[in-house]
Every structure is written in C-alpha cells, then in structure tokens.
Amino acid sequence: MGKKAGIPKGTRDFLPQQMRQRQAVMDTIRRVYTQHGFEPIETPTIENIETLTGKYGEEGDQLLFKILMRGAKAASGQCDLGLRYDLTVPLSRFVAMHQHEIGSIFKRYQIQPVFRADRPGHGRFREFYQCDIDVIGARAPLAEISLLHAVSDVFDALKFDGIRIHLNDRRLLRALVEVCDIDLSQETTAIMAVDKLGKIGPEGVRTELCERGISEASAQALLTHIGINDTNEETLSRLEHLFEGREDAQTALRDLRVIVAACEQFGCGRESLLVDPSLARGLNYYTGAIFEIQAKGLDSSIAGGGRYDHLIGTFSGRDIPAVGISLGFERICVIMQERGMFSQMPSGVDAVVTLFDASTLPASLAASRAIRTLGLSCELYAGFDKLARQFKYANERGARYVVIIGSDELSNGTLTIKDMQSGTQETGAMSSLVVRNGTLSFSQQ
Amino acid sequence: MGKKAGIPKGTRDFLPQQMRQRQAVMDTIRRVYTQHGFEPIETPTIENIETLTGKYGEEGDQLLFKILMRGAKAASGQCDLGLRYDLTVPLSRFVAMHQHEIGSIFKRYQIQPVFRADRPGHGRFREFYQCDIDVIGARAPLAEISLLHAVSDVFDALKFDGIRIHLNDRRLLRALVEVCDIDLSQETTAIMAVDKLGKIGPEGVRTELCERGISEASAQALLTHIGINDTNEETLSRLEHLFEGREDAQTALRDLRVIVAACEQFGCGRESLLVDPSLARGLNYYTGAIFEIQAKGLDSSIAGGGRYDHLIGTFSGRDIPAVGISLGFERICVIMQERGMFSQMPSGVDAVVTLFDASTLPASLAASRAIRTLGLSCELYAGFDKLARQFKYANERGARYVVIIGSDELSNGTLTIKDMQSGTQETGAMSSLVVRNGTLSFSQQ
C-alpha cells in the first residue's frame, strides 16, 4: 500500500475554485465556436493502437500510453489500445468512418483531454485538455481564414490583450530545402531542426543540421532564407522571388497573401500577424499552411495548427482536405491565472439553511426548496448541529445568507435571514420570501 | 494497417446532433446540482494501479484497463497505471489528498467518463460518462436526504414522468444474514446472491445460495425476510420487530424513517419511494444506506449509490463519513431519446454568408462579423463556389438564412438575405442589418 493516496506523475486534481475558472474558459470557447458555426463532437479516450502509431513521428510514438490486453492475453504483455495523443488523428479517423453522416464541409470543435507520457514539469502535463477546431472538406485559403477568425474572437472574448499569429506553409519549407540544395530525403531532418530555432537559436540549428550530414553551405543558406523582413509584404516578395518557377511554393504564397489580407481586415495588423518562414511545427502530417499563436508579452505558444490534406486518406484511402487549430487550454488558464484575468467567480452557494434537530427538518427542507425556486442556490446544512458551527460552515462556503429556523421560528411559523456580508438579519413568513436584484428578503405586505 | 478506421469495441463517437442532446442533459444536471450547493471537481482519467485494485471486488479488478509502463520497463509487461473505473474511488483518493483544502463538509459533483473492460452490448459500453454527487464529512441521514432531493430535482428538470427510489441499508442486510443463521464469513456471498434477485428471480437466488454452501433453511428464511410489504410503514415495522435488540439495525431503521419522511415531503410518496429489503448493490465498499432509482415504466436502474464510511480511510488511514449517488448518464440519454423527451435542438448555424471569388471576400467577411455581433451564429462559406452549391450546403446545415453578396450587391454596397424557411428575400445596406425577435432583416430608415 506504499503511496496510499498518490496521483500519477504529471496529472492533477481540480478543486472547485479552479474548476469554475476552467468551466468559464471552456464555456467562452464553446460559445465563440458556436457563433462561428462550428459543431461539437466527441471521440473515445481510447483508440486502437494502430490508429495512433506512426502519426506523430518517432518521438510521439514513444510518448503514447498503451493499454495492456485483457484476460488471458494480458500475460503476453501486448497492447491493443492507446490513449488519445491529440484530437487531430481521432478526428481524421472519425471523418473516415462517418463520411456519409457529415456534410460536404464539416466544421467541428472538440474539447477533451489528451495524454502524453512526456517528462512532466513547468506547465507540461501528462493529461491535459485541448480545444480544437477544424474545417474538413474545404481547400485553402478560406478554411484557414475562418479558423483564424474564430480563434482570434476567442482570445478577444477571453480578454487577451492581443495575440500574435505566426504564419508559414509547409510547401515553402519544402521549396526552401530544395533551393538550399538539401537532399529531399533530409527534408524532415531539416524541418525538425528549424522547428527548434526558438529554443536553441541559429547556432544550435546550424550545429544540428551539420551533425545530421547537411553541408555548411546548405545550413547557412537555410538560416539566411528563414529570416523575417521588416514587413509581411517584404517577406512575401522576397520568397516569391526566391521560389520563382516553383509552382507549389507560388500557390502557397498566393494563399498566404489572401490569409494576410483577410486577417488584417478582422483586426490583425503587422503586430499581430507575422509571415514567419522559420515556423516549422513539429508534427509530420502537415501539408500546407501552418500557424502558431502567441500571447502578447509571452514567447511560448498558446495555439497552433495547420493543414493536413493527407491524414484522413491514411484511414479511408481517399484524401479529404482538412485544416485545424488546437488551443493550448492549460497554458491559457495558467496565463489568465497569473495575469489576474479571471473575473470574480461565484462562491459555492448563495444560502445555507440551518438544521438543529429532527423537529426543524420539515420546515428547513421546505425553506431550502422555496429559496431554490426563487433562483438562488441553496443547501440544507448536512447535520443536526449548533448554530455557531453552522455559521462557520456557511463562512467556509462563502455563503451570502444563513437562513435560520430554530424553535422560536418554528413556533411562530417564520424564518430568519442573516446577511453574512452586512451582518443584518430580519425575520418573516416563508410565504413572503422574495429575491429582488439578487437580494433575499421578505415582501412588504 | 488491417482495420484502418476502426474504433475500439464498446466505445462510441458522438456526432453533433447527439452531442447537443448530451450537452443539454449535462447542463441541466450541472445547473440543478449547483442550485443545491454541490461544487464541481475533476480527477485524472488515469490513476495509480494500487488506487484502483481491491476496491471493486474480484470481478471489478478483472474489468480494469491497465496501462503498460513506458520506456525500458515496457518490456516487462508491468502496469503502473489504470483507467478510472468509477468516480467514487478517485473521489476518496482526492479527499484523502486534499483534506485541508476542502471544508469540514464537502459537497461535490463530478461528470467524467469511466472505463470498464466489460462485454459490450445493449446499452453497455466500455467508456461511458457518470455524473456523481457525494457529500463528504456528514453522517446519516441528512446527507442522504440532500442527495435524494437533488437527484429527484434533476429528474424533474429533465422532465422524467416520475422516478422510483429503492431504499435499503447494508446494516439491515448484515442483520438479515445473522437472523438467518448464515455464517458472517458468507455475508458477501449472500449479499451478492440477493443482488441478483431482479435478474434471476427467487429460485435463482435460492439455487445460488445453496450452491455456495448456505443451508436450505437459511436460504428460505432470507428469501422470506427480503420481501416488500404493502406499505413502507409495514416493511419498517416488520424489520424493527425482526431485528429487535440489534443496535446497528435499529439505527439503520431510524435513519430510513427520517429519509422516508423527508422524501415524502419533497414529493416522493409510496409510489416513488420504496423501502426494499432485497436491494443489495454489488459494490463492496457500502456501509450504510443504499439506493437505486428506476424510471417509471422501466425495470433497469438509472441511478444508484450509497454510504461508504470506510473507503476514504483506506487512503488516508482516517475514516471520513461519505455518501453518494451516481447517475447512469448513458441510460438516461437512451431513455430520453427513445421517449422523444429531447426538445427541438438548435441547428448547426443560423446564417451562411456566400463567397464567390476573392473580390467578394472583404464584404462577405464583414457581413459575417456584423451578423455575429447581432447575436446570431454565422459562418462564411468555406470556398469560392456556385450559388446553388452554397444553398445546398446551407440546407445541409439547417441554416435559417443565406446572406448573399454577389457582384450586384458588391457594386451597390448592399447584401441580400434569403430566408430558407419562407423562401422570401430582401436586399438592403449592411449598416441597417438588425435582429428582431430572432429574425434577421433590415431596419426601416
């Protein structure tokens, strides 16, 4: 019975106060996504192991939680199931299975926990919520625009003081690999190295590239070309020139121009939308536009995503265009907590009704029902106890009112309302209880 | 790549229409529990394996999903984690760990999925939601009353046409075992057999008891004493007489009397509250009152629970009184579906704004924002397409309006609203868009 009351490494319990904050964030996300026409789905926590493996790169595969087979097969040590690692792969499996139940264009949101056997620490958990929106069945760049618009509205609604969207395209990264004379077999290696730019800096990237067998000259070219110019227009023009004659890259740049123009229209100027040729995104499955969103004043990202036009095809054999953005729910909650962005949350209960002995039970039970009917939350004290202890409990709970029915009240057919904020109290008949502007009192007749 | 797009046995995807129904049920449950002063918590999906094993009986242990250790230890086939099997054991672990962060009396609700490697079939799933409320730190019978009151209000709010609460107490079952001359070492065996009464009938229970080595006479006595009398009063009186001199049983009966009286007060007469000496509940950890709730006209239960005063102590070494009820969320949804109890759910989106080419994008984007600001949900069509296809899509989505901005509208600075229900359409300026009584149109100036 070693660690009797332990909790698994990297996981958390949520107490009521935290839960209320988390629910408020989720409700806002849900509301904004719904306003934008996105619809809810859920998928199981567990997926067949073959659904998950080979989708997240080698490193991802090692972070999967795997479930042992049951019954006689348990002894074999084999696993047939795994825990959800993200929401994108389950969505792709979902779309492949339900193609004929969803429309030609399918806009969904999904808010569920995901699991990664990562080394826990500083805001990194093994079980954490993701909030994804995706558009299935629509090509670039309009689906991208509707996603960025919805996400931008979410951060507005959460009262974030501005966000910055970093924007790039996997087709540009591929073109970059080509113009830098890097062998296409080294494409993933090069992209994964570039992805670490923020963490390890240009010298770190150069070292990694060279260690992986990429020439000094190629590494230097790559590092030069992923630079950011003074304006988005300059970056786009430079890349247009650099990738002259490369059709895929030119299409990507045209898409980016449309996205940049639309984002500027809904309020993202240069400060909040950055064409960033160094943005790479670690995941294997991206094929087109990729995004990462940062909160003003913070370097780490609070959302990310991209287009993955071939992932659904790995399940159904038929490619369907798809693009999505995942919000870093835990990161968002931490930032809001640290910056005091949560408005005052309601306390646990509005009113506690006393209980002294069995004789007071019927009247107190009736009072608790009456108060609930008036629209306040109300609980009956859960024992027969002294008044002082019931006051103490009501204080712990942050209750605004204690409603007292003692022997006096019982014989008079009345009840007493004690306002815990003002300290005042008044006595009256249960039938004349009213709530006016959120205040519990008695009507005047 | 065998079963390319499969989903694990006994699990389900939820499409938007179902999700909206499920969210409506959850929102109602959440609202009523909050009105009654219960507070939300969440615990991780994964628990240390030692937290889970030995809590649910032998059969339960075999239904646990176990997670293989990671890294080098994976090869050993050992498991250190398991998936949550219910919400009661995690709550007990939670209370043991957070004793000093919660009040002396802690009323919580929790809505999360649980996992059982059960044989799936007819409404039995391997991953399914439970909605639990529990009162920690309060003795019988007042905590029991507050639970039953809250649950009864939930079923009222969901518009169930009446429920029936079956009520018993584990202390009465123990007394029964004694008066029937069954050895106390056989207590669990006897209780588990009685628990099957509804499924296998009295003859089945008799056979099982005798096969397990309980005498014919004891089995007969047990079957006689678990009968239900014509009124709750008669059942209680009979048991009082039967258990004369047995203190625990007399306490249990006094508690039941208080619970019965209180439940009658909030609307549960004989028809909806039944003292049922045959109610046993399978789980090991119950110590006092036990409940099971049925929907009128259905035999299977939609909620169940009981008191478990020793479970928290297995984690903290110090017993804390506790009692809870778990709602069978999936069963409730199935019944509501079958009985047509879901009110009309909103469609996916109120309005779809057209898109024809890049020239119409800025105006259409602006229109979609304006309509959202007016309080309707609205999406921009996610491509450049023919009007007919955009109408088809809006129909699929159940949209009330299609808002058209074509070349005419573009040159006039107007937009056209097509009402998909009435077939009418009108054209006006974006600045005069209004929503009146939920209807999108133009103001008259």
Side-chain angles (χ1 to χ4, degrees), chain B residues 249-276:
Chain B
Q250 295 298 334
T251 309
L253 287 163
R254 273 195 301 277
D255 287 349
L256 289 190
R257 274 188 188 283
V258 179
I259 296 170
V260 168
C263 288
E264 277 170 1
Q265 198 190 332
F266 59 75
C268 293
R270 152 80 185 183
E271 254 185 64
S272 43
L273 182 76
L274 193 65
V275 175
D276 178 358

Side-chain angles (χ1 to χ4, degrees), chain B residues 214-286:
Chain B
I214 288 166
S215 76
E216 187 80 41
S218 290
Q220 180 53 46
L222 192 61
L223 281 163
T224 305
H225 296 321
I226 61 177
I228 301 170
N229 295 63
D230 282 345
T231 67
N232 287 331
E233 179 50 43
E234 282 171 34
T235 305
L236 290 167
S237 300
R238 175 171 64 82
L239 295 177
E240 265 160 15
H241 187 252
L242 181 66
F243 298 140
E244 222 160 28
R246 294 176 193 273
E247 208 178 310
D248 262 15
Q250 295 298 334
T251 309
L253 287 163
R254 273 195 301 277
D255 287 349
L256 289 190
R257 274 188 188 283
V258 179
I259 296 170
V260 168
C263 288
E264 277 170 1
Q265 198 190 332
F266 59 75
C268 293
R270 152 80 185 183
E271 254 185 64
S272 43
L273 182 76
L274 193 65
V275 175
D276 178 358
S278 76
L279 177 67
R281 302 280 305 153
L283 290 168
N284 272 346
Y285 48 61
Y286 291 123

